[in-house]
Amino acid sequence: MDLRKQRVLEALIDDYIATAEPVGSRTLARKYALGVSSATIRNEMADLEDLGFLEQPHTSAGRIPSDKGYRYYVDQIMKPAPLVQAERERIRHAYQVRVRELHWFIHQTARLVSELTQYPSLVVAPPVEQSALTDLSFIPLGDSTVLMVLKTSGGMVENQTFLLPEEFDAQKLASLAQDFTREFRGVAIQELKHRILDPLQGDINRYQELWQLALKWVTGQDSEEDKVSLAGPLNILNYPEFRDVDKVRRVLGFLEKETALQLVSRTESEGVQVVIGAESLLDDIQDCSLVTATYRVGADVVGHLMVLGPRRMQYGRVMSIVQAVSDELTRVLHG
Amino acid sequence: MDLRKQRVLEALIDDYIATAEPVGSRTLARKYALGVSSATIRNEMADLEDLGFLEQPHTSAGRIPSDKGYRYYVDQIMKPAPLVQAERERIRHAYQVRVRELHWFIHQTARLVSELTQYPSLVVAPPVEQSALTDLSFIPLGDSTVLMVLKTSGGMVENQTFLLPEEFDAQKLASLAQDFTREFRGVAIQELKHRILDPLQGDINRYQELWQLALKWVTGQDSEEDKVSLAGPLNILNYPEFRDVDKVRRVLGFLEKETALQLVSRTESEGVQVVIGAESLLDDIQDCSLVTATYRVGADVVGHLMVLGPRRMQYGRVMSIVQAVSDELTRVLHG
DNA sequence: ATTTAGCACTCTTGATGCGAGAGTGCTAAA
DNA sequence: TTTAGCACTCTCGCATCAAGAGTGCTAAAT
C-alpha cells in the first residue's frame, strides 16, 4: 500500500462521496492532479480491487469503495474537516437559552446535529437510574393532582404531573417531600426502589403507595420516548441511494426501533466511533454508516449521540461536528 | 344520479380504496353483487365519467374516482365505519394516566390517531394566549435558575426552567409569585403583555425584566414545536401511491412546514371535515386527502386534529376515529 | 326501452433486440 | 515502469412486438 495507491484511493472516495457514481480511471486522471495517466491509475485500481478496497458494480462501470476501503480511508487517510466559524458559533449558542431539562437537551442536540450534518441524528439520554437524587418537591395542582419536581446529581430537573393515590393537603405534601429529600439525598435512583420498600424506613414507609407511584414515573420515563430523540429522518430522502422506498422504510424503521438504541448504548469506548456498512451486522442498515460519540453529564453517566447516513458519508465533516457537539454538551452539562 | 349509479360508484370506490388499481367493469360485475352484467356496468361507468365522478388513466385501463367522485362518496354514499370494542377502549384509556400537560396531550393524541388510522397525523394545540392565567409559582433550582409553573384556565399546567435576570432568594420569589397571581388571576395570557408594561402596576412593575422574560417563554412556546405534534409520518411509505421519493418528500415537507398548521387552524367550523385532493389548492398534497376535527379545552379555546392520507383514504374509518378521539379529548380536557 | 353478448380497437406492460457509450484489461511500445 | 492503443464487456436507452386488459359500439335478446 504505497503512497500513490493511497492517493488514488482518496481521490476515488472523495469523488464517489461527491457524486454517488462509480468512478472510472479517466475521471480520476482528469479531475485530480495525480500526475500519472489513466492507464497507470487503471493498474492501481486493479491492485486496490485485489486488496479488497474497491469493488466493481459490473465489468464496465467505474469502481466504488468497499467497506474495507472506507475503513482504510477513515482510519488512515482522511483528516477531520475543520468547522467554519459560523458552525462553531451555532454549536456554542445552542445551549445558552433554557436549561436543566434533560429531554430538552437531547431534542436540541439531535436537531442541531442533523441540521449541521444534513443526516438523520439520534441522541440518547443517559439512564436516569444512575444519577442520584438531590431534591424532591411537590406542587399541588388541585383535584388530587400534583407536579413532582425531581433534581438529580447531574444538575438536571425532571418534572411530571400525576394523580395522588390519596388526599394530601399542601402542607402535608411539603413535609413529605422534605422528609423524603432529607432521607434519600445522594442515593441513586435505581437504589431508591429497594430503599422505599424497606420496612425500617419509618414514616417514609407509611406512604409507600405514593412513593412507588412517584418512582414508577421517574424510572418509567426511562423506557419512554423522553429518553431518545430522533431528528431530521427525512434528510435521507435527499440522497440518491435512498430512492427506493423500501430501503427508506427499513432504515428509518431501524432508527425508530429499539435496535438503534441498543446498538449505540452498547458502545463503551469514549470518543467518536465510526461503523461502516456491514460492520454493524444489521441487515436493515447494510449500506449505511454510523458515526457515534458519547457525552457525559456529571461524573461518568453517559449519553450517546449518533448520525446515520449513506455509506458514502462525509466522514470528515460529520466526525468533526459530532466531536464538537459532544464536547460542548459535556461542557455545558458539567457546569 | 339514480340508485344503480350510486351502487356502481360505491363499489368502484370501495374496490379502488382496497386495491389502488384502476377498476374495470368485469371486476365490478364479478366481485360485487350488482345484479347486472359487465356491459351494463360499462354503460353506467361511461355515464359516471361524463358526470365527472370517474376518470380514466388511459383508454384501456379501468377507471378511478375523481375528486368529485370521492366528494360524492363521502357526502352522500358512505357511512362512518363503527369502531370495534378494542378501539373504543384504546381511546378511552389513552388519557387515563398522566394529566394536565398540554404538550403531553397533543403528543399522545397524535400517536393514538396515527396508530389507529395507519396514516400520519398532526395535532395542533390551542393557542396559549387565549387561555387565562390561574396561578403562577416558582421553584428555585439554585444557580439563578428557576422552574416556573403556570396554571391556565383550561386546567392545564405549563412549566419551564429559565435563568433569572437577577438574584432572588426563595422567599422573595414566593412572594413575587403570590403578588403576581393575586393581581392577574383570570387575565388572558395575551392580555398580560400590556398589563405588565403598565406603569401603574406598582410593585409588579418593579420587576418588569423578570416578568417579560417569563412572558416571553410562555408565549414564545407558542411559536415553538410544543404547539404541534406530528406522529407516524412514515406510515405513508406503506401506500403504493407513495413509491416515488420526491412525492414523499413533498408531502412530508408539507406536514413539517407551517403550511399544514395554517391550513388546519384556518378551519372555523366544528366537527369532522374532509378535504379531498385538489380541494386544498396546495400543490404538494394534490393527491392526498385530509380529515380534520376540532377539540375544545375549557370554554371555547380550540385545538385541531388532522389525518393525512392518499386520496383513496379509508374515509369511513378515519372519520369515525377522528370523531371519537376529538370527543374523548374534549371530554377529558373539560373535567 | 333496457340489457346483454360479441367484437374490433386502444393502450399499457413486459420481453427482446440493438446500438451507443463508458470503462476495463491486456499488449506492446516508450 | 509508464503509457498509448485497442478489443472486449456490460449497462442504458430506445424501438419493436405480442399479450392482456378494458373499453365503446353494434346488434340481438328480453
Coordinates of all heavy atoms in Angstrom, one line a residue, chain B residues 83 91 95 109 112-113 116 123 270-273 292-297 303-306 318-334:
Chain B
L83 N -66.5 1.8 15.2 CA -65.3 1.3 15.8 C -65.5 0.0 16.5 O -66.6 -0.2 17.0 CB -64.7 2.3 16.8 CG -64.4 3.7 16.2 CD1 -63.7 4.6 17.2 CD2 -63.6 3.6 14.9
I91 N -59.1 4.2 23.0 CA -59.2 5.7 23.0 C -59.5 6.1 24.4 O -59.0 7.1 24.9 CB -60.4 6.1 22.0 CG1 -59.9 5.9 20.6 CG2 -60.7 7.6 22.2 CD1 -61.0 6.1 19.6
Y95 N -56.0 8.5 27.8 CA -55.8 9.7 28.6 C -55.9 9.5 30.1 O -56.0 10.4 30.9 CB -56.8 10.8 28.2 CG -56.7 11.1 26.7 CD1 -57.7 10.7 25.8 CD2 -55.5 11.8 26.2 CE1 -57.6 11.0 24.5 CE2 -55.4 12.0 24.8 CZ -56.5 11.6 24.0 OH -56.4 11.9 22.7
T109 N -52.2 12.2 21.6 CA -53.3 12.2 20.6 C -52.8 11.9 19.2 O -53.3 11.0 18.5 CB -54.1 13.5 20.6 OG1 -54.5 13.8 22.0 CG2 -55.2 13.5 19.7
L112 N -51.8 8.3 19.1 CA -53.1 7.4 19.1 C -53.7 7.4 17.7 O -54.0 6.3 17.2 CB -54.0 8.0 20.2 CG -55.4 7.3 20.3 CD1 -55.2 5.9 20.8 CD2 -56.3 8.2 21.2
V113 N -53.9 8.6 17.2 CA -54.7 8.7 15.9 C -53.9 8.0 14.8 O -54.4 7.3 14.0 CB -55.0 10.1 15.6 CG1 -55.5 10.2 14.2 CG2 -56.0 10.7 16.6
L116 N -54.1 4.2 15.1 CA -55.4 3.7 14.8 C -55.7 3.7 13.3 O -56.2 2.8 12.7 CB -56.5 4.4 15.6 CG -56.6 4.1 17.1 CD1 -57.6 5.0 17.7 CD2 -57.0 2.7 17.3
V123 N -51.5 17.0 15.3 CA -52.3 17.6 16.3 C -51.8 19.0 16.7 O -50.6 19.1 17.0 CB -52.5 16.7 17.5 CG1 -53.3 17.4 18.6 CG2 -53.0 15.4 17.2
E270 N -66.9 23.5 13.5 CA -66.6 22.3 14.3 C -66.9 21.0 13.6 O -67.3 21.0 12.5 CB -67.5 22.4 15.6 CG -67.2 23.6 16.4 CD -67.4 23.3 17.9 OE1 -67.8 22.2 18.2 OE2 -67.1 24.2 18.7
G271 N -66.6 19.9 14.2 CA -66.9 18.6 13.6 C -65.9 18.2 12.7 O -64.9 18.8 12.4
V272 N -66.1 17.0 12.1 CA -65.2 16.4 11.2 C -65.3 17.0 9.8 O -66.4 17.1 9.2 CB -65.4 14.9 11.1 CG1 -64.4 14.2 10.2 CG2 -65.2 14.3 12.5
Q273 N -64.2 17.4 9.2 CA -64.1 18.0 7.9 C -63.3 17.1 7.0 O -62.3 16.6 7.5 CB -63.5 19.4 7.9 CG -64.2 20.3 8.9 CD -65.3 21.0 8.2 OE1 -65.3 21.3 7.0 NE2 -66.4 21.2 9.0
T292 N -60.0 16.4 9.1 CA -59.7 17.2 10.3 C -60.9 17.3 11.3 O -62.0 17.0 10.9 CB -59.3 18.6 9.9 OG1 -60.5 19.2 9.3 CG2 -58.2 18.6 8.9
A293 N -60.5 17.6 12.5 CA -61.6 17.8 13.5 C -61.1 18.8 14.5 O -59.9 19.1 14.5 CB -61.9 16.5 14.2
T294 N -61.9 19.3 15.3 CA -61.5 20.2 16.3 C -61.8 19.6 17.7 O -62.6 18.7 17.8 CB -62.3 21.6 16.2 OG1 -63.7 21.3 16.3 CG2 -62.0 22.3 14.9
Y295 N -61.1 20.1 18.7 CA -61.5 19.7 20.0 C -61.4 21.0 20.9 O -60.8 22.0 20.5 CB -60.5 18.6 20.6 CG -59.1 19.1 20.7 CD1 -58.6 19.6 21.9 CD2 -58.2 18.9 19.6 CE1 -57.3 20.0 21.9 CE2 -56.9 19.3 19.7 CZ -56.4 19.8 20.9 OH -55.1 20.2 20.9
R296 N -62.1 21.0 22.0 CA -62.1 22.2 22.8 C -61.4 21.9 24.2 O -61.4 20.8 24.7 CB -63.5 22.6 23.1 CG -64.3 23.1 21.9 CD -65.6 23.7 22.3 NE -66.4 22.8 23.2 CZ -67.1 21.8 22.8 NH1 -67.1 21.5 21.5 NH2 -67.8 21.1 23.7
V297 N -60.8 22.9 24.7 CA -60.3 22.8 26.1 C -60.9 24.0 26.8 O -60.8 25.1 26.4 CB -58.8 22.8 26.1 CG1 -58.2 23.7 25.1 CG2 -58.3 23.1 27.5
G303 N -58.4 23.4 19.7 CA -57.3 22.8 19.0 C -57.7 22.0 17.8 O -58.9 21.8 17.6
H304 N -56.8 21.6 17.0 CA -57.1 20.9 15.8 C -56.4 19.5 15.7 O -55.3 19.4 16.3 CB -56.8 21.7 14.6 CG -57.5 23.0 14.5 ND1 -58.7 23.1 13.8 CD2 -57.3 24.2 15.1 CE1 -59.2 24.4 14.0 NE2 -58.3 25.0 14.7
L305 N -57.0 18.7 14.9 CA -56.5 17.3 14.8 C -56.7 17.0 13.3 O -57.7 17.3 12.7 CB -57.5 16.5 15.6 CG -57.2 15.1 16.1 CD1 -58.1 14.8 17.3 CD2 -57.5 14.2 15.0
M306 N -55.6 16.4 12.7 CA -55.7 16.2 11.3 C -55.0 14.8 10.9 O -54.0 14.5 11.5 CB -55.0 17.3 10.6 CG -54.4 17.1 9.3 SD -53.7 18.6 8.6 CE -52.5 17.9 7.6
V318 N -61.5 6.5 9.1 CA -60.8 7.6 9.6 C -61.7 8.7 10.3 O -61.4 9.2 11.4 CB -59.9 8.3 8.5 CG1 -59.3 9.6 9.0 CG2 -58.9 7.3 8.0
M319 N -62.8 8.9 9.6 CA -63.8 9.9 10.2 C -64.3 9.5 11.5 O -64.4 10.3 12.5 CB -64.9 10.2 9.2 CG -64.4 10.9 8.0 SD -65.7 11.0 6.7 CE -66.8 12.3 7.3
S320 N -64.6 8.2 11.7 CA -65.1 7.7 13.0 C -64.0 7.9 14.0 O -64.3 8.3 15.2 CB -65.4 6.2 12.9 OG -66.5 6.0 11.9
I321 N -62.8 7.5 13.7 CA -61.7 7.6 14.7 C -61.5 9.0 15.1 O -61.4 9.3 16.3 CB -60.4 7.0 14.1 CG1 -60.6 5.4 13.9 CG2 -59.2 7.3 15.0 CD1 -59.5 4.8 13.2
V322 N -61.4 9.9 14.1 CA -61.1 11.3 14.4 C -62.2 11.9 15.3 O -62.0 12.6 16.2 CB -60.9 12.0 13.1 CG1 -61.2 13.5 13.3 CG2 -59.5 11.8 12.5
Q323 N -63.4 11.5 14.9 CA -64.6 12.0 15.7 C -64.5 11.5 17.2 O -64.6 12.3 18.1 CB -65.9 11.4 15.1 CG -67.2 11.8 15.8 CD -67.5 13.2 15.6 OE1 -67.3 14.1 16.5 NE2 -68.1 13.5 14.4
A324 N -64.3 10.2 17.3 CA -64.2 9.6 18.6 C -63.1 10.2 19.5 O -63.3 10.5 20.7 CB -64.1 8.1 18.5
V325 N -61.9 10.3 18.9 CA -60.8 10.9 19.6 C -61.0 12.3 20.0 O -60.8 12.7 21.1 CB -59.5 10.7 18.8 CG1 -58.4 11.5 19.5 CG2 -59.1 9.3 18.6
S326 N -61.5 13.1 19.1 CA -61.7 14.5 19.4 C -62.8 14.6 20.5 O -62.7 15.5 21.4 CB -62.0 15.3 18.2 OG -63.3 15.1 17.7
D327 N -63.8 13.8 20.5 CA -64.8 13.8 21.5 C -64.2 13.5 22.9 O -64.4 14.2 23.8 CB -65.9 12.8 21.2 CG -66.9 13.3 20.1 OD1 -66.7 14.5 19.7 OD2 -67.7 12.5 19.6
E328 N -63.4 12.4 22.9 CA -62.8 12.0 24.1 C -61.9 13.1 24.7 O -61.9 13.4 25.9 CB -62.0 10.7 23.9 CG -61.3 10.2 25.1 CD -62.2 9.6 26.2 OE1 -63.4 9.5 25.9 OE2 -61.8 9.4 27.3
L329 N -61.2 13.6 23.8 CA -60.2 14.7 24.2 C -61.0 15.9 24.8 O -60.6 16.4 25.9 CB -59.4 15.1 22.9 CG -58.1 15.9 23.1 CD1 -57.3 15.3 24.2 CD2 -57.4 16.1 21.8
T330 N -62.0 16.3 24.1 CA -62.8 17.4 24.6 C -63.4 17.0 26.0 O -63.3 17.8 26.9 CB -63.9 17.7 23.7 OG1 -63.4 18.2 22.4 CG2 -64.8 18.8 24.2
R331 N -63.8 15.8 26.1 CA -64.4 15.4 27.4 C -63.4 15.4 28.5 O -63.6 16.0 29.6 CB -64.9 13.9 27.2 CG -65.9 13.4 28.3 CD -66.3 12.0 28.0 NE -65.3 11.1 28.2 CZ -64.8 10.7 29.4 NH1 -65.4 11.2 30.5 NH2 -63.9 9.8 29.5
V332 N -62.2 14.8 28.2 CA -61.2 14.8 29.2 C -60.7 16.2 29.6 O -60.4 16.4 30.8 CB -60.0 13.9 28.7 CG1 -58.8 14.0 29.7 CG2 -60.4 12.5 28.5
L333 N -60.5 17.0 28.6 CA -60.0 18.3 28.9 C -61.0 19.2 29.6 O -60.6 20.3 30.2 CB -59.6 19.0 27.6 CG -58.4 18.4 26.9 CD1 -58.0 19.1 25.6 CD2 -57.2 18.4 27.8
H334 N -62.2 18.8 29.6 CA -63.3 19.6 30.2 C -63.3 19.4 31.7 O -63.6 20.3 32.5 CB -64.6 19.4 29.6 CG -65.5 20.6 29.7 ND1 -65.3 21.7 28.9 CD2 -66.6 20.8 30.5 CE1 -66.2 22.6 29.2 NE2 -67.0 22.1 30.2

